C-alpha cells in the first residue's frame, strides 16, 4: 500500500511540475507573441501617422489591452481624413465646373475619369454621359481622337483646332504622367482642354480686313499727293491752278492723317 501511495504521489507531483512548466512556456510564448503583435501594430500606427501627417504618435502603447482605445482614435482620424478628402474633391469640382472651357481627363486605359460642365455644354449629348466610357466616343471628332492618342502613345503635347456647329474650338492636349492616371500601363493619361475661340478668330478676321481696307485707303491719298507734287515739280500746274492743287493736297493729307489716327486708336483699344 505504501509503495502504491508513493507511486500515486510521485505521479501527481510529476503532473503538477509538467503543468507548471507548460504554463511557464505558454505564458512566455504568449508574452513574446504579444510583444511581436504589439510591435506590428506600433509600426502600422507609425505609418498611419506618416501618411496622414498627424502629430498623434502611438509609440507609447505598452499593453495590448490598450488597442481598442487606439483603434477608436484611428477610426476617428480616418473618418476625419475622408471628410477632408471629400471637401477637397468638392472644391476641385466646383472650380472645374466654374471654368468656361471644357476639361476632359482620360486615364491610360483611355477611360474618361473626369468631365466638367463646360465640356458637357460644348459636346452636348455626345459626351454628356461618357463617364467611364472610352476614347472611341471621340470617333465623331477625328482631330480630338488623334490628339488624345498622340499624347497617350507618343507623349506628344499639341494644340489643334476643329469646327463644331459653326463654331471654332481650340483643343490642347497634355500628358498626365502621374500614377493616378497611368495605373500599371506604359501609356500616359491625357488632359484635354477645349476652348471656344470663335470670337477671337472673328476679331482676327475683322482686323485683317480693316488693315487691308485701311492700306487701300491710305494708298489713294498718297497717290494723289505724289501726283500733285510731280505735276508741280514738272511745271505742269498753271499759276491760277496752284491754289486749287494745294487745297486738294491738304485735303488728301488730312484724310490720310484721320486714317492713321483711327488705326492708332484701334491699336490702343486692343
Amino acid at each position: 500500500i505504501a509503495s502504491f501511495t508513493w507511486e500515486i504521489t510521485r505521479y501527481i507531483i510529476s503532473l503538477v511540475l509538467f503543468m507548471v512548466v507548460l504554463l511557464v512556456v505558454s505564458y512566455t510564448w504568449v508574452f513574446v507573441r504579444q510583444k511581436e503583435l504589439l510591435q506590428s501594430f506600433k509600426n502600422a500606427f507609425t505609418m498611419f501617422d506618416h501618411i496622414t501627417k498627424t502629430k498623434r504618435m502611438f509609440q507609447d502603447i505598452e499593453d495590448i489591452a490598450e488597442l481598442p482605445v487606439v483603434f477608436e482614435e484611428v477610426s476617428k482620424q480616418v473618418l476625419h481624413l475622408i471628410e477632408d478628402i471629400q471637401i477637397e474633391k468638392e472644391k476641385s469640382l466646383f472650380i472645374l465646373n466654374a471654368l468656361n472651357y471644357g476639361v476632359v481627363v482620360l486615364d491610360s486605359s483611355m477611360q474618361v475619369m473626369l468631365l466638367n460642365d463646360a465640356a458637357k455644354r460644348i459636346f452636348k449629348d455626345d459626351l454628356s454621359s461618357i463617364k467611364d466610357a472610352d476614347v472611341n466616343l471621340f470617333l465623331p471628332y477625328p482631330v480630338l481622337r488623334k490628339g488624345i492618342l498622340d499624347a497617350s502613345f507618343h507623349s506628344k503635347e499639341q494644340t489643334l483646332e476643329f469646327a463644331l456647329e459653326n463654331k471654332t474650338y481650340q483643343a490642347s492636349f497634355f500628358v498626365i504622367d502621374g500614377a493616378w492616371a497611368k495605373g500599371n500601363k506604359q501609356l500616359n493619361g491625357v488632359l484635354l482642354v477645349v476652348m471656344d475661340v470663335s470670337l477671337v478668330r472673328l476679331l482676327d478676321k475683322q482686323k485683317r480686313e480693316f488693315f487691308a481696307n485701311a492700306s487701300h485707303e491710305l494708298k489713294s491719298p498718297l497717290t494723289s499727293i505724289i501726283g500733285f507734287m510731280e505735276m508741280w515739280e514738272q511745271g505742269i500746274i498753271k499759276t491760277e491752278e496752284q491754289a486749287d492743287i494745294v487745297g486738294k493736297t491738304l485735303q488728301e493729307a488730312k484724310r490720310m492723317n484721320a486714317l492713321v489716327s483711327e488705326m492708332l486708336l484701334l491699336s490702343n483699344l486692343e
Side-chain angles (χ1 to χ4, degrees), residues 128-145:
S128 61
S129 58
I130 64 171
K131 186 173 176 57
D132 299 324
D134 59 28
V135 71
N136 289 324
L137 285 172
F138 289 93
L139 284 174
Y141 314 96
V143 172
L144 297 182
R145 192 170 187 275

Side-chain angles (χ1 to χ4, degrees), residues 16-226:
V16 170
L17 287 174
F18 175 75
M19 292 296 294
V20 170
V21 172
L22 183 61
L23 286 173
V24 171
V25 172
S26 299
Y27 178 78
T28 304
W29 184 82
V30 170
F31 180 77
V32 172
R33 293 297 298 168
Q34 177 177 314
K35 285 293 184 180
E36 292 177 356
L37 182 62
L38 193 59
Q39 187 59 46
S40 298
F41 278 117
K42 284 184 178 182
N43 294 338
F45 291 143
T46 301
M47 186 178 297
F48 175 79
D49 286 337
H50 178 71
I51 293 173
T52 58
K53 295 180 173 59
T54 56
K55 296 181 180 179
R56 166 75 177 181
M57 299 298 292
F58 300 99
Q59 293 297 324
D60 55 348
I61 302 172
E62 297 299 338
D63 191 345
I64 200 168
E66 300 177 40
L67 287 178
V69 177
V70 175
F71 278 131
E72 184 179 356
E73 177 68 19
V74 171
S75 298
K76 290 180 181 178
Q77 291 195 22
V78 169
L79 289 174
H80 183 67
L81 184 62
I82 291 173
E83 290 177 0
D84 289 344
I85 293 174
Q86 185 62 32
I87 290 172
E88 291 302 319
K89 180 181 177 181
E90 291 175 359
K91 287 180 182 178
S92 300
L93 287 176
F94 176 80
I95 294 171
L96 281 173
N97 288 327
L99 298 175
N100 60 356
Y101 48 84
V103 176
V104 181
V105 176
L106 299 98
D107 63 17
S108 57
S109 300
M110 295 294 95
Q111 301 292 312
V112 175
M113 299 177 64
L114 185 145
L115 183 75
N116 74 339
D117 289 346
K120 295 176 184 178
R121 289 193 298 269
I122 292 172
F123 297 107
K124 294 186 171 59
D125 295 336
D126 294 334
L127 298 179
S128 61
S129 58
I130 64 171
K131 186 173 176 57
D132 299 324
D134 59 28
V135 71
N136 289 324
L137 285 172
F138 289 93
L139 284 174
Y141 314 96
V143 172
L144 297 182
R145 192 170 187 275
K146 178 183 181 301
I148 291 170
L149 295 178
D150 283 345
S152 181
F153 285 84
H154 308 296
S155 300
K156 182 180 179 181
E157 296 185 341
Q158 57 186 320
T159 299
L160 304 171
E161 290 191 2
F162 68 101
L164 178 63
E165 294 184 350
N166 299 321
K167 288 186 176 182
T168 303
Y169 290 93
Q170 186 180 79
S172 298
F173 304 87
F174 302 94
V175 172
I176 302 176
D177 196 31
W180 60 273
K182 289 190 68 168
N184 296 322
K185 296 196 172 184
Q186 296 300 317
L187 304 179
N188 300 306
V190 181
L191 168 63
L192 168 62
V193 179
V194 182
M195 299 178 63
D196 184 354
V197 293
S198 302
L199 181 59
V200 175
R201 295 295 173 264
L202 177 62
L203 291 175
D204 286 342
K205 180 182 177 183
Q206 291 177 343
K207 185 169 67 173
R208 287 194 301 270
E209 290 176 349
F210 170 80
F211 280 107
N213 293 332
S215 298
H216 177 73
E217 292 298 323
L218 280 172
K219 187 176 180 181
S220 297
L222 277 174
T223 302
S224 299
I225 292 172
I226 291 172

Side-chain angles (χ1 to χ4, degrees), residues 222-246:
L222 277 174
T223 302
S224 299
I225 292 172
I226 291 172
F228 292 147
M229 292 300 99
E230 287 178 346
M231 291 170 62
W232 188 297
E233 183 181 34
Q234 295 173 11
I236 299 176
I237 301 175
K238 298 178 180 179
T239 304
E240 59 272 15
E241 296 176 341
Q242 289 181 359
D244 182 54
I245 294 298
V246 169

